[in-house]
C-alpha cells in the first residue's frame, strides 16, 4: 500500500483500509486548507500564531505518513509506472494549472517544470523521496544520515530547481516514516498517550502564541539557507534541529489524538489528494476578496471554519 501525496488516490477501495490513517489525513488536510486561507490574514495576532503553530507540523505529518506507507516501494515496473501516473503526471498538470492565476491576477506567465510553484513542491519532493526509498532501507543509521543531510542543506543556497532546500530539509520526516512499524502507531493509541498528546498540542499552541512574533516565518517553510534567513550555520543548525524535534513531537501528539475507529470523515480521508491540489486555486481567488471583516479575530475564525468545509467538499 502506498500514498501518493497528502492523501490516497480516491479510486482505491475503502474496504480493508485502516481508518486511523484516513482520519489522520483528513484532519491534517483541514489544517493545510485552513492554514492557507488565513495566511493572508496574519496581521491579526491569532491568525499569525495559528499559522505558525500549524506549519510546524502539518506537512511533516503528511511526509511521515507518506514514508510509512511507502515502505514497500521498489523499482519494479508496476510501481514505477504508478509513481509516474500518481506523482509525475499530476505535478505537470498542476504546475501548468497554477500558472493561470499568476497570469490572470499578476500578468505573469512563468512556467518551469523543474522549479515547483506553490503547492506543487510536495509532489516533486515526494517523487524524489519515493525514488530514494530502497537506499534508506539499506543504511544502518538512516535517520542520522537524513538529519545530517537536512542540516547540511541549510548551510548552502541550493537551487530552486527540484525544490532542493525543502526536499533535503524535510527529508528526516520521510525517513522517520520509513522506520515506523504498526506497533509504534498502536502505542500512540494508549489512553495515557492520548492524554499526553492532547496536552502537548495545547502546550504547543500556547507556546506558538507566545513566540510567533519572535521567530522568523521562513524557519517553518524550509525554503532558504541559514544565511538567507540571517543567521550563521551553527545557530541555523541548532534552530533546524529544534524544528525537526518540535515537528516530530507534534506529529506524534496529533496522531495520538486521532480517532482509530471509522468516522464520518474516514472516507474523505481516502481522497485528500484532491483537496491538496485543488484548494490552492480557491485560496488564490479568496485572498482577493478579504475585507476588513476578515482581519478581525471573529473573521479569522470564520475563514478557518470555511477552510474545514472547503477541505471536506474537495475530498468528495
Amino acid at each position: 500500500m502506498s500514498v501518493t501525496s497528502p492523501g490516497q488516490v480516491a479510486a482505491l477501495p475503502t474496504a480493508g483500509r485502516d481508518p486511523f490513517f484516513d482520519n489522520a489525513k483528513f484532519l491534517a488536510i483541514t489544517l493545510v486548507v485552513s492554514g492557507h486561507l488565513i495566511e493572508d490574514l496574519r496581521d491579526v495576532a491569532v491568525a499569525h500564531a495559528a499559522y505558525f503553530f500549524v506549519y510546524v507540523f502539518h506537512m511533516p505529518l503528511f511526509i511521515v505518513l507518506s514514508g510509512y506507507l511507502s515502505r514497500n516501494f521498489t523499482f519494479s515496473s508496476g510501481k514505477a509506472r504508478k509513481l509516474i501516473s500518481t506523482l509525475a503526471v499530476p505535478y505537470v498538470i498542476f504546475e501548468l494549472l497554477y500558472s493561470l492565476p499568476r497570469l490572470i491576477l499578476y500578468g505573469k506567465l512563468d512556467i518551469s517544470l523543474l522549479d515547483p510553484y506553490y503547492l506543487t513542491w510536495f509532489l516533486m519532493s515526494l517523487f524524489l523521496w519515493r525514488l530514494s526509498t530502497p537506499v534508506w532501507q539499506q543504511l544502518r543509521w538512516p535517520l542520522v544520515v537524513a538529519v545530517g543531510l537536512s542540516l547540511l542543506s541549510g548551510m548552502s543556497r541550493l537551487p530552486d530547481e527540484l525544490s532542493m532546500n525543502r526536499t533535503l530539509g524535510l527529508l528526516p520526516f520521510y525517513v522517520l516514516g520509513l522506520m515506523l512499524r504498526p506497533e509504534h502507531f498502536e502505542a500512540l493509541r494508549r489512553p495515557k498517550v492520548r492524554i499526553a498528546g492532547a496536552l502537548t498540542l495545547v502546550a504547543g499552541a500556547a507556546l506558538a502564541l507566545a513566540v510567533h512574533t519572535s521567530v522568523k516565518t521562513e524557519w517553518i517553510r524550509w525554503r532558504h539557507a541559514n544565511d538567507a534567513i540571517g543567521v550563521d550555520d551553527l545557530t541555523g543548525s541548532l534552530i533546524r534541529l529544534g524544528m525537526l524535534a518540535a515537528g516530530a513531537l507534534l506529529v506524534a501528539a496529533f496522531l495520538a489524538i486521532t480517532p482509530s475507529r471509522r468516522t464520518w470523515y474516514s472516507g474523505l480521508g481516502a481522497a485528500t489528494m484532491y483537496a491538496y491540489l485543488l484548494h490552492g486555486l480557491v485560496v488564490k481567488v479568496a485572498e482577493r476578496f478579504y475585507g476588513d471583516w476578515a482581519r478581525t479575530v471573529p473573521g479569522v475564525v470564520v475563514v478557518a471554519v470555511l477552510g474545514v468545509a472547503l477541505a471536506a467538499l474537495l475530498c468528495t
Side-chain angles (χ1 to χ4, degrees):
M1 188 180 196
S2 62
V3 71
T4 61
S5 77
Q8 194 78 0
V9 179
L12 292 178
T14 57
R17 296 172 63 98
D18 187 342
F20 172 77
F21 294 105
D22 286 334
N23 292 340
K25 286 183 287 184
F26 176 77
L27 293 175
I29 199 64
T30 63
L31 296 179
V32 172
V33 177
S34 294
H36 279 139
L37 280 174
I38 68 171
E39 183 174 4
D40 202 44
L41 304 175
R42 285 177 293 153
D43 290 341
V44 183
V46 170
H48 194 282
Y51 178 86
F52 180 86
F53 175 61
V54 166
Y55 266 65
V56 171
F57 72 94
H58 76 318
M59 289 313 296
L61 171 61
F62 280 130
I63 296 168
V64 168
L65 292 176
S66 296
Y68 176 74
L69 297 172
S70 297
R71 292 170 300 154
N72 295 326
F73 176 80
T74 64
F75 289 120
S76 64
S77 58
K79 292 187 177 182
R81 284 195 298 270
K82 188 174 182 180
L83 187 64
I84 296 296
S85 64
T86 57
L87 285 179
V89 172
Y91 171 78
V92 172
I93 292 173
F94 279 88
E95 185 70 13
L96 296 173
L97 188 60
Y98 274 116
S99 69
L100 297 181
R102 279 185 290 181
L103 176 62
I104 296 171
L105 299 176
Y106 309 112
K108 297 179 180 180
L109 182 60
D110 183 16
I111 300 174
S112 174
L113 293 181
L114 295 181
D115 184 5
Y117 174 69
Y118 197 32
L119 305 176
T120 58
W121 72 266
F122 183 77
L123 296 181
M124 172 67 77
S125 295
L126 184 55
F127 182 86
L128 297 174
W129 291 329
R130 184 74 59 76
L131 284 177
S132 70
T133 296
V135 175
W136 298 110
Q137 292 174 331
Q138 295 299 316
L139 297 180
R140 185 173 183 181
W141 305 107
L143 190 56
V144 174
V145 175
V147 170
L149 288 175
S150 177
L151 299 182
L152 287 173
S153 71
M155 300 179 186
S156 303
R157 295 201 179 195
L158 300 176
D160 293 331
E161 284 75 12
L162 305 182
S163 191
M164 290 307 298
N165 276 108
R166 277 174 166 158
T167 299
L168 291 176
L170 292 164
L171 174 63
F173 294 112
Y174 182 80
V175 176
L176 174 62
L178 289 176
M179 296 174 60
L180 293 177
R181 296 294 178 265
E183 53 266 27
H184 295 131
F185 293 97
E186 287 294 333
L188 291 175
R189 301 177 190 181
R190 297 172 183 170
K192 290 183 179 180
V193 178
R194 288 183 181 274
I195 294 173
L199 294 176
T200 299
L201 290 174
V202 171
L207 182 61
L209 186 61
V211 306
H212 68 98
T213 57
S214 307
V215 182
K216 293 183 178 179
T217 305
E218 285 304 327
W219 289 115
I220 60 175
R221 290 175 172 170
W222 298 89
R223 297 187 304 182
H224 298 300
N226 298 327
D227 64 337
I229 305 178
V231 298
D232 60 82
D233 286 336
L234 177 58
T235 302
S237 295
L238 292 176
I239 293 174
R240 287 173 185 274
L241 274 176
M243 296 303 297
L244 289 172
L249 178 62
L250 291 174
V251 165
F254 186 87
L255 290 174
I257 67 167
T258 298
S260 56
R261 65 185 184 284
R262 182 161 294 281
T263 64
W264 65 267
Y265 52 82
S266 296
L268 299 178
T272 49
M273 180 180 186
Y274 295 111
Y276 180 80
L277 292 175
L278 293 172
H279 83 275
L281 299 173
V282 180
V283 170
K284 288 299 182 183
V285 174
E287 289 177 344
R288 309 287 291 185
F289 297 97
Y290 286 156
D292 293 337
W293 68 270
R295 291 176 168 82
T296 63
V297 173
V300 170
V301 172
V302 170
V303 171
V305 171
L306 289 175
V308 176
L310 176 62
L313 177 63
L314 294 178
C315 284
T316 63

